[in-house]
Amino acid sequence: MKCYFNYFASLILSASMCTTFYSCSDDNDEPNDGQESIPGVVNPNNVFTGQMPTEISGSKISRNAEGYVNEIVTSDGKVISFEYPEKSRAEQISNNIIMTVDEDGDKTFYNMTIGRNGFVTKAYVKFKNQGEHEYEEGEWTLSYDNDGHLIKAYHDYADEQGEDDYTITLQWKDGNIIKTYKDNGWDSYSYSYTSASYPSAIKNKGAIFMFESVYPIEVYDLEWVYYAGMLGKGPKDLAVSSSELDDGETYTTNYIWTLDQNGYPTVFDVEDDDHPGSSTVRFRWN
């Protein structure tokens, strides 16, 4: 399996916060499993049930006086910020949140719509470089099951090179991801939660969702949104291996977890890594 370990910076909202965002435009949306752009409640308590990480792989999180994440400085120098709806005037309140990713002055903007289930259902993406040129970077449409798990991520994008549309599908069973794949079965991976080294499943007490490092789900910057409690619920247990099906061959990668005395992960690594240390992810908890 080819793993990507340029691990993402994380962001977290206070688990005690529960904020309602009201839509100003769509008053007649019909129910559709919570997917529509109507008033939703962003509630990290629905995702995080215990302690939260304060640092992941060198990425540090700052919060404002209200408990909202207002800045994250990643280990490679990116700055991620969130713009939340104003609450002082009713006419300013909306169910849209802006996430900005600043990389050496080049900025990517995510205009995200919160659905009835409290999770992001749409994200419109724009990129603006330091030369003031602005480019459309497509649109994401996100779907969830009745348990609040992300099950599909559709990326709609086209430029002068043509279209680059694809759908990522996540299959869940008993609260865990068992398979992910792109259109037509491409990039197909399956996941296990027990093994000879881990005969009993490891409860995911910190609600970690290891985008790319474990689950190669290419949603790019949106993976940070998970830690704000807005991209569905994470797996119930920690995956201990993944298997990739490639040209009829199966390649398995085993994972190593180190836990603290309370059962929260402190270190993640890959067994028999070709580049020891490059896969290591360290966690700090509040």
Side-chain angles (χ1 to χ4, degrees):
M1 170 184 174
K2 184 178 180 182
C3 294
Y4 300 89
F5 294 96
N6 183 13
Y7 192 69
F8 56 88
S10 309
L11 55 103
I12 303 122
L13 285 176
S14 171
S16 63
M17 178 169 49
C18 179
T19 304
T20 304
F21 301 122
Y22 297 96
S23 171
C24 298
S25 57
D26 293 328
D27 296 325
N28 298 312
D29 289 322
E30 295 296 327
N32 183 22
D33 294 330
Q35 317 277 331
E36 65 279 14
S37 300
I38 65 175
V41 176
V42 175
N43 184 4
N45 280 320
N46 291 332
V47 179
F48 302 100
T49 60
Q51 296 184 36
M52 293 184 179
T54 58
E55 183 177 330
I56 297 182
S57 198
S59 300
K60 299 180 179 180
I61 305 102
S62 299
R63 299 191 183 107
N64 62 21
E66 296 178 323
Y68 289 88
V69 170
N70 59 352
E71 182 178 89
I72 300 161
V73 179
T74 71
S75 57
D76 58 358
K78 292 181 181 179
V79 178
I80 304 104
S81 59
F82 275 63
E83 180 181 342
Y84 299 96
E86 294 287 342
K87 294 184 289 183
S88 58
R89 295 175 57 190
E91 62 268 24
Q92 292 178 323
I93 300 175
S94 71
N95 62 334
N96 285 78
I97 296 174
I98 306 297
M99 180 176 72
T100 302
V101 180
D102 188 333
E103 186 173 7
D104 296 327
D106 294 334
K107 297 182 179 181
T108 305
F109 302 93
Y110 288 74
N111 187 339
M112 303 180 298
T113 302
I114 304 300
R116 188 175 187 177
N117 55 12
F119 303 136
V120 173
T121 56
K122 291 279 188 181
Y124 301 91
V125 189
K126 288 186 178 181
F127 173 79
K128 189 174 184 179
N129 61 25
Q130 296 184 66
E132 300 300 319
H133 293 93
E134 189 171 275
Y135 307 92
E136 298 285 343
E137 290 286 329
E139 172 185 331
W140 286 93
T141 301
L142 305 161
S143 302
Y144 305 86
D145 64 18
N146 291 332
D147 295 319
H149 298 128
L150 179 67
I151 56 173
K152 285 188 183 295
Y154 171 62
H155 187 225
D156 184 6
Y157 176 66
D159 59 14
E160 63 273 6
Q161 304 296 325
E163 294 187 356
D164 184 23
D165 299 348
Y166 61 86
T167 299
I168 302 168
T169 299
L170 297 78
Q171 293 183 355
W172 296 75
K173 183 178 180 181
D174 297 329
N176 288 319
I177 300 173
I178 58 171
K179 186 176 182 180
T180 61
Y181 57 90
K182 282 188 178 179
D183 304 83
N184 301 321
W186 297 343
D187 295 335
S188 179
Y189 293 84
S190 59
Y191 308 93
S192 297
Y193 296 86
T194 59
S195 66
S197 299
Y198 298 99
S200 298
I202 308 170
K203 184 178 179 181
N204 186 11
K205 292 185 68 174
I208 292 295
F209 200 146
M210 299 286 284
F211 289 91
E212 295 193 9
S213 294
V214 172
Y215 308 101
I217 303 168
E218 297 179 7
V219 293
Y220 305 108
D221 300 337
L222 285 177
E223 54 193 45
W224 296 316
V225 176
Y226 170 78
Y227 284 89
M230 296 188 292
L231 206 66
K233 298 180 180 181
K236 179 181 67 175
D237 303 311
L238 298 174
V240 297
S241 70
S242 63
S243 298
E244 177 187 14
L245 181 61
D246 187 12
D247 292 331
E249 298 288 336
T250 300
Y251 303 91
T252 298
T253 300
N254 296 312
Y255 304 124
I256 303 170
W257 293 97
T258 302
L259 309 178
D260 66 16
Q261 61 183 358
N262 297 314
Y264 289 86
T266 57
V267 181
F268 162 88
D269 218 331
V270 173
E271 187 176 275
D272 300 325
D273 191 1
D274 292 336
H275 304 282
S278 63
S279 309
T280 305
V281 176
R282 299 183 184 277
F283 304 87
R284 292 181 183 272
W285 301 88
N286 62 358

